[in-house]
Amino acid sequence: MTNKKRRPLSRDQWIRQTLKLLGDGADPRMRVEDLAKALRVTKGSFYWHFKDRTEFRRAVLECWIEDGTDVIIGKAREIDEPFERIRWLYFEVMDHRMARF
């Protein structure tokens, strides 16, 4: 077996991979140690990018808001006709809901 050296996660990778874990049902109260183990990196990588769990949680929430609301609202605003905008929003939301199953 080869011992490949893994690259440390970037700040964005920590956030996005955590969102994926949460979406897959991970406990949101997960400790840093548990999260690092799940991501197969060291706890030191976490503290290189984040001062503490509070800063990390804030960054995760900001990313979730950006991806989950701001981007979708921005795209919806590009549709001028109200009925088509509502229709697009409905299918956008339902696609995300169905992807969870």
Side-chain angles (χ1 to χ4, degrees), residues 49-101:
H49 297 293
F50 304 99
K51 177 176 70 173
D52 53 29
R53 286 179 53 172
T54 300
E55 179 186 341
F56 175 67
R57 287 178 176 174
R58 190 171 293 124
V60 170
L61 181 59
E62 287 171 2
C63 181
W64 180 77
I65 290 169
E66 172 69 24
D67 287 356
T69 57
D70 294 348
V71 170
I72 291 171
I73 290 169
K75 287 180 182 178
R77 286 186 177 140
E78 296 173 4
I79 303 169
D80 292 328
E81 205 279 311
F83 180 76
E84 285 302 313
R85 183 183 297 173
I86 291 170
R87 184 174 180 276
W88 181 86
L89 280 168
Y90 172 79
F91 286 107
E92 183 70 16
V93 170
M94 291 309 291
D95 282 347
H96 285 290
R97 284 186 56 153
M98 296 309 290
R100 291 177 48 188
F101 296 103

